[in-house]
């Protein structure tokens, strides 16, 4: 296997499908419904699906449940047959040349990580690209693979063992040429309640909480829109400072409404924000002008000089 140092700004990856394995027993969580455990107000499964929202087909190998995004459901036979049997069941619904294979317990997986894995796979010659965690351990369920390579090796294992049920995942990865990408944050998975507590605490840290909240709101409202949050925060600050504190949330609401009427999209939000910010600055300038005497005139207010 080879090691890979990720570029700072990877290009967009190729068209792909995704298979999420979400049917494990979660014994270290006392048998809890791990994919449904919420971190930052969102189910772990929904967080993973949000990181690969542009996939051609999203396959979840588990019993059906409500999800924030539409998915195709699959199940290994018999249920609980292990990761290789689950992966084989999921691949039956995949048509793309490249496939992301993910577990359903990755609270910090981001779109950028998914694109990076796919870009490295497309531009290299390996069968797959996987993340390694903080202890430099391979994470084959945070990875991108060439679909034909997976199918070929799964067929070989089925022929050798008669079935995939109960076989460990390393039987597959040992037969593949894999590239490693170190990323201890994106590779962090939630196997225990301590892991869940760690994830919940991290997203509330100052450097993460705003992005996490915006992502959660967009998922909850079914909004798939990337906007410059800095512009909106500057607008809210200007409205609060130049007009009145309650003007901040009301103004940002009106900006969103105006952007929707203009057809939506980042450009519409940016234009509505620009116009509202300019208005807030003009409002503030007028307020400041009321407290100053005109040029060349004396100030006759009772409290003057």
């Amino acid at each position: 296997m080879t090691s890979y140092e990720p570029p700072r700004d990877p290009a967009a990856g190729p068209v792909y499908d995704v298979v999420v394995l979400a049917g494990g027993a979660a014994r270290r969580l006392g048998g809890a419904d791990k994919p449904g455990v919420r971190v930052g107000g969102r189910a772990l499964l929904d967080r993973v699906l949000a990181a690969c929202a542009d996939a051609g087909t999203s396959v979840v190998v588990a019993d059906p449940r409500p999800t924030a995004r539409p998915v195709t459901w699959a199940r290994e036979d018999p249920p609980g047959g292990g990761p290789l049997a689950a992966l084989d069941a999921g691949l039956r619904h995949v048509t793309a040349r490249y496939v992301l294979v993910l577990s359903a317990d990755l609270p910090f997986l981001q779109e950028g990580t998914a694109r990076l894995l796919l870009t490295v796979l497309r531009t290299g010659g390996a069968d797959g690209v996987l993340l390694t965690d903080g202890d430099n351990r391979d994470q084959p369920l945070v990875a991108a693979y060439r679909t034909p390579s997976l199918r070929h090796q799964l067929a070989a294992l089925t022929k050798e063992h008669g079935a995939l049920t109960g076989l460990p995942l390393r039987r597959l990865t040992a037969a593949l040429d894999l590239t490693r990408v170190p990323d201890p944050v994106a590779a962090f998975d939630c196997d225990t309640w301590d892991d869940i507590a760690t994830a919940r605490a991290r997203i509330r840290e100052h450097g993460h909480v705003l992005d996490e909240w915006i992502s959660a709101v967009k998922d909850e409202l079914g909004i798939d829109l990337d906007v410059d949050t800095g512009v909106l925060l500057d607008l809210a600050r200007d409205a609060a400072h130049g007009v009145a504190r309650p003007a901040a949330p009301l103004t940002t609401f009106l900006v969103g409404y105006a952007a929707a009427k203009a057809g939506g999209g980042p450009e519409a939000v940016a234009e509505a924000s620009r116009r509202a910010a300019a208005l807030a600055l003009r409002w503030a300038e007028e307020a400041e002008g009321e407290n100053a005497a005109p040029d060349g005139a004396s100030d006759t207010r009772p409290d003057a000089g």
Side-chain angles (χ1 to χ4, degrees):
M1 295 186 185
T2 57
S3 294
Y4 178 80
E5 184 67 25
R8 288 182 175 273
D9 185 22
V15 175
Y16 70 99
D17 292 337
V18 60
V19 174
V20 182
L21 305 188
R27 294 182 180 86
R28 295 173 69 185
L29 288 177
D33 175 26
K34 182 161 65 169
V37 172
R38 296 186 179 275
V39 173
R42 291 189 290 167
L44 284 171
L45 176 56
D46 284 335
R47 295 179 70 91
V48 172
L49 291 172
C52 45
D54 58 345
T57 299
S58 298
V59 184
V60 179
V61 185
D63 293 330
R65 65 173 65 235
T67 54
R69 298 175 183 274
V71 303
T72 297
W73 296 99
R75 201 67 167 113
E76 71 273 26
D77 185 17
L84 288 190
L87 177 57
D88 183 63
L91 284 178
R92 297 177 189 276
H93 300 274
V94 167
T95 58
R97 181 180 178 185
Y98 306 98
V99 59
L100 279 180
V101 177
L102 306 169
S103 61
D105 59 352
L106 304 168
F108 305 131
L109 186 67
Q110 301 290 330
E111 291 182 15
T113 305
R115 289 195 298 267
L116 173 60
L117 289 170
L118 290 160
T119 298
V120 176
L121 179 63
R122 177 175 59 86
T123 57
D127 295 317
V129 180
L130 54 76
L131 294 190
T132 56
D133 64 17
D135 296 320
N136 203 34
R137 294 174 299 194
D138 289 349
Q139 298 298 317
L141 296 183
V142 198
Y145 298 96
R146 299 182 191 275
T147 305
S149 297
L150 288 185
R151 288 193 169 122
H152 174 76
Q153 293 301 334
L154 288 172
L157 287 169
T158 301
K159 182 177 180 180
E160 178 182 356
H161 297 277
L164 297 172
T165 301
L167 293 181
L169 196 57
R170 63 178 178 272
R171 292 290 183 90
L172 172 67
T173 56
L176 297 172
D177 176 25
L178 300 174
T179 297
R180 294 182 175 98
V181 176
D183 191 335
V185 175
F188 181 88
D189 57 0
C190 293
D191 290 327
T192 68
W193 286 112
D194 284 344
D195 294 335
I196 297 291
T198 297
R200 287 172 171 171
R202 183 182 184 276
I203 66 169
R204 285 173 170 78
E205 294 173 357
H206 176 71
H208 306 286
V209 65
L210 185 59
D211 287 341
E212 288 286 347
W213 171 248
I214 294 300
S215 295
V217 171
K218 289 197 295 185
D219 258 19
E220 187 70 20
L221 300 180
I223 299 171
D224 190 11
L225 176 67
D226 290 325
V227 297
D228 188 339
T229 55
V231 169
L232 292 176
L233 288 174
D234 288 344
L235 167 61
R237 179 202 62 207
D238 292 341
H241 176 73
V243 183
R245 290 183 64 85
L250 293 173
T251 302
T252 52
F253 165 78
L254 292 172
V255 162
Y257 183 79
K261 286 191 65 177
E267 297 82 3
V269 174
E271 174 60 16
S273 299
R274 183 194 64 78
R275 295 177 63 181
L279 174 62
L281 291 176
R282 293 198 304 269
W283 187 288
E285 288 170 359
E286 289 181 13
E288 292 171 1
E290 290 177 358
N291 297 321
D295 292 343
S298 61
D299 193 343
T300 59
R301 291 174 296 164
D303 60 344

